[in-house]
Amino acid sequence: MKHMMVVVSMEEEWSTLKSLVQESYIDEGQQPSFSSTGSVEVCDLIVASRSVSFHCAVLKKDMTEEGISQALDSCFKSCSQGVSTFLLLIQNGRYKKRESRIMEFMQACYGPELLKFLIVLSLETEAVDMLDDALLGLINVSDGRYCRLTTTTLGTSDMLLPLLEMFDFMLAENGMIGYTEHMDSEAKSRYTADTSMKILTLKLQEAEEKEHAFKELVQKREEYRGREMQELKAKHAEDRKMEADVKRQYETKRESLEEAAMSHGAMLQMQLNLTNNDNGKKTSIILVGMSGSGKTSAINLISERVGNQYSINEAFPGVPSSTLTCERKVVLAEGRRLVLVDTPELWDEDGAENMEQVKDCLALSLPGPHIFLLTIQLGRFTQGESEMVSRLQKIFGRGFTEHAIVLFTHRNDIGRHKIESINDYVAGAHASLQDLLRKCGSRYYILNVWRNSRNSPSYSQVKDLLSGVHKLVASHGGGPYVTKRFPVEQLKERKRVIEERLM
């Protein structure tokens, strides 16, 4: 009688078993024969006068469950005399995840009866100190049927005797029968039924999930309708609030226009009272400061307010671009010609003085500047600005601070809070800023340079600033500040060149 053994093995382990068998039968008279039937490889040999036939379903690492099932079925059908046992090949006592996955699938396909006919065969080419827990668990459920082929048993066909002894013990436990076709048929029926039940369970779960999703969708739509109603109510309330705000803004604009009209009348009256001799009077102001501090915006606003320019539908001007050269504006204010000189930064990134720009600003303010307006953007005080006074004293002389006024420029277009009191702001300012103000005689003013504010206080701010300018000029006897760095004739020639260039 031939013992049919279905070998479940990966390619590497099957190759190792074939090599061991061939080496063991080198000196034997009857060599094992190897053949193949389709995808099934067969090894027939004689062990202790008993005929043994290994039918191997060689499995690959990337095979799907369907591929494994087809390979095992082909191997099962090739055993014409029935399957005596299932032989799981592992190497050096290692029960890997791939073998574990195959065994789980085989139990599902061939039923729990499979474990009664399973022998685990370890091909050991090296010493094995310990078996892992997964392998011990498999050995336990297969009633301890674990057999090893070690290097100490090689070289003779007797190396397979321990396997035959384990095989005989297994047959004795199972009534001298192997795994039958009836067992296989029942296992396949159960597997098909289980698979169908899983499919039905999955479909039921999908249906429940769809029902749950539909209920959630209905709930979300109801919540959305509720939110829509709340939003409509909120919008109606907001519209009513906006109507009230528009009314308040209209009243504020009307009050601002009345203020502008009163200021305009006062300035016209002052201009009518001017004498011809007064037209020769002039106050020169040089605005200095860091780039972006608002010098150009301040000059534009002073010019407009002194010139009584005001519009209800005033545009929303953007922030002026950086000044690159010295520029001059001349306006008539309170009986004097007001010369406003705009400047870029008078030093470079390394702190070196820009001599040409210094000459230009002095030339445009001849016979000399009466006032230096040191502009600082409100809320932005940098390290460079804290060093400005010492730099400007090096440029214009030690007397610079005696003719300096600090002008804070404010932009309410960039989300800052309205400044209620400039004095409160200064009182809480950084020590470096307070030190700068002390050096400039604690003379400071604020100017809102964002002109589109409907409640702009710029008229009164410009008026306060010019009043402070006139007071400081008067304190110096009305004369300009004269620096001795450059000859007057040189500055006059430079002024003439600048004016000709602008014509």
Side-chain angles (χ1 to χ4, degrees):
M1 177 180 179
K2 182 178 291 187
H3 301 298
M4 300 284 187
M5 298 186 181
V6 173
V7 180
V8 181
S9 171
M10 305 301 290
E11 291 179 301
E12 182 180 355
E13 285 74 14
W14 173 245
S15 298
T16 301
L17 179 61
K18 289 196 297 184
S19 298
L20 292 176
V21 169
Q22 287 176 331
E23 292 177 6
S24 299
Y25 279 82
I26 290 177
D27 298 329
E28 299 292 329
Q30 188 173 358
Q31 297 292 321
S33 64
F34 296 92
S35 60
S36 62
T37 304
S39 60
V40 180
E41 296 191 15
V42 180
C43 174
D44 294 314
L45 67 161
I46 303 297
V47 181
S49 302
R50 297 171 66 179
S51 178
V52 177
S53 181
F54 294 124
H55 290 241
C56 183
V58 181
L59 306 178
K60 298 181 175 13
K61 294 180 181 179
D62 56 351
M63 287 183 73
T64 62
E65 290 186 352
E66 183 179 357
I68 295 172
S69 177
Q70 291 176 354
L72 292 174
D73 284 347
S74 298
C75 191
F76 192 89
K77 292 176 182 178
S78 69
C79 299
S80 57
Q81 299 181 21
V83 177
S84 300
T85 186
F86 291 94
L87 194 61
L88 174 65
L89 292 188
I90 63 174
Q91 200 156 9
N92 295 317
R94 298 188 185 95
Y95 184 51
K96 301 175 184 177
K97 288 184 179 180
R98 61 193 183 192
E99 284 91 357
S100 176
R101 183 174 70 90
I102 292 170
M103 286 306 304
E104 290 176 359
F105 179 71
M106 288 181 65
Q107 288 181 64
C109 288
Y110 295 97
E113 293 85 358
L114 166 74
L115 297 174
K116 296 180 181 180
F117 302 93
L118 176 68
I119 298 175
V120 181
L121 179 60
S122 176
L123 310 175
E124 299 181 3
T125 57
E126 59 184 52
V128 178
D129 296 330
M130 185 179 301
L131 303 181
D132 59 43
D133 293 340
L135 180 57
L136 289 174
L138 179 63
I139 294 172
N140 183 53
V141 297
S142 59
D143 298 328
R145 287 186 292 278
Y146 177 70
C147 186
R148 299 187 304 163
L149 297 185
T150 64
T151 54
T152 56
T153 62
L154 297 180
T156 171
S157 61
D158 293 340
M159 76 168 186
L160 293 176
L161 286 177
L163 175 62
L164 284 182
E165 290 176 2
M166 184 67 70
F167 171 73
D168 291 340
F169 180 74
M170 180 204 69
L171 287 180
E173 284 186 331
N174 293 302
M176 301 307 292
I177 60 172
Y179 187 85
T180 64
E181 291 185 4
H182 178 68
M183 294 177 185
D184 179 59
S185 177
E186 287 187 345
K188 291 292 175 55
S189 297
R190 284 196 303 272
Y191 177 72
T192 302
D194 290 344
T195 302
S196 299
M197 181 59 68
K198 287 180 181 179
I199 293 173
L200 289 174
T201 302
L202 182 61
K203 289 183 176 180
L204 178 60
Q205 182 179 353
E206 290 176 351
E208 290 175 348
E209 289 176 353
K210 288 180 179 179
E211 181 183 5
H212 179 69
F214 177 74
K215 289 181 179 179
E216 282 189 344
L217 179 61
V218 171
Q219 182 179 355
K220 287 181 179 179
R221 286 179 176 174
E222 290 177 353
E223 292 174 353
Y224 176 74
R225 292 191 189 98
R227 285 196 301 271
E228 275 190 330
M229 291 298 297
Q230 293 296 327
E231 289 172 0
L232 284 173
K233 291 179 181 178
K235 187 176 185 304
H236 292 158
E238 185 179 353
D239 289 343
R240 290 192 292 270
K241 183 177 179 298
M242 286 180 63
E243 289 173 0
D245 289 342
V246 169
K247 183 177 180 181
R248 282 195 298 271
Q249 290 170 4
Y250 173 79
E251 294 296 330
T252 301
K253 183 185 291 185
R254 182 179 59 79
E255 292 172 0
S256 181
L257 285 171
E258 290 176 354
E259 178 192 354
M262 291 175 62
S263 176
H264 177 64
M267 290 187 177
L268 283 177
Q269 186 62 41
M270 284 189 295
Q271 291 176 8
L272 290 173
N273 295 332
L274 293 177
T275 64
N276 293 332
N277 292 332
D278 289 335
N279 289 334
K281 296 180 180 180
K282 178 173 68 173
T283 299
S284 295
I285 301 175
I286 297 179
L287 283 83
V288 293
M290 303 292 286
S291 177
S293 62
K295 299 186 294 296
T296 302
S297 297
I299 288 176
N300 291 339
L301 186 60
I302 292 170
S303 301
E304 290 175 5
R305 294 304 179 244
V306 170
N308 296 290
Q309 298 178 20
Y310 191 88
S311 173
I312 294 176
N313 298 316
E314 188 170 359
F316 282 42
V319 178
S321 58
S322 298
T323 300
L324 302 178
T325 60
C326 294
E327 298 176 0
R328 181 181 68 169
K329 277 192 176 183
V330 181
V331 293
L332 189 63
E334 298 183 0
R336 300 179 67 92
R337 282 190 300 152
L338 194 63
V339 178
L340 301 170
V341 180
D342 195 2
T343 65
E345 286 187 24
L346 299 178
W347 52 85
D348 58 21
E349 293 179 356
D350 299 324
E353 175 185 353
N354 189 326
M355 188 70 69
E356 298 303 314
Q357 299 288 6
V358 172
K359 290 179 181 179
D360 284 350
C361 72
L362 289 174
L364 292 174
S365 65
L366 282 174
H370 295 83
I371 298 294
F372 293 97
L373 277 186
L374 180 53
T375 60
I376 298 174
Q377 185 175 316
L378 192 71
R380 187 200 76 174
F381 186 70
T382 65
Q383 178 67 29
E385 286 172 321
S386 68
E387 300 170 354
M388 278 197 301
V389 171
S390 59
R391 287 180 175 174
L392 291 168
Q393 283 181 320
K394 290 180 182 179
I395 294 173
F396 297 108
R398 302 295 298 178
F400 164 81
T401 54
E402 298 176 7
H403 296 262
I405 294 176
V406 176
L407 177 61
F408 291 104
T409 59
H410 176 49
R411 294 184 180 278
N412 58 11
D413 63 305
I414 53 178
R416 295 190 176 91
H417 297 295
K418 181 181 178 182
I419 302 299
E420 298 295 342
S421 171
I422 184 60
N423 293 329
D424 292 341
Y425 173 76
V426 169
H430 191 274
S432 299
L433 177 55
Q434 292 184 349
D435 182 59
L436 182 147
L437 293 172
R438 281 194 295 270
K439 291 178 179 179
C440 295
S442 296
R443 295 179 292 272
Y444 56 86
Y445 294 89
I446 185 172
L447 193 59
N448 185 353
V449 297
W450 187 251
R451 297 169 292 165
N452 69 327
S453 172
R454 290 191 171 94
N455 192 22
S456 173
S458 57
Y459 273 106
S460 58
Q461 289 176 347
V462 171
K463 183 178 178 182
D464 291 343
L465 172 62
L466 293 182
S467 176
V469 167
H470 296 327
K471 287 179 183 178
L472 184 56
V473 172
S475 70
H476 291 288
Y481 174 70
V482 179
T483 176
K484 299 180 181 180
R485 291 190 62 186
F486 311 106
V488 175
E489 294 301 322
Q490 181 183 358
L491 294 178
K492 287 182 178 180
E493 177 61 22
R494 196 171 189 90
K495 178 182 178 183
R496 185 187 62 79
V497 172
I498 294 172
E499 291 176 343
E500 287 179 356
R501 186 171 65 238
L502 297 175
M503 290 179 63

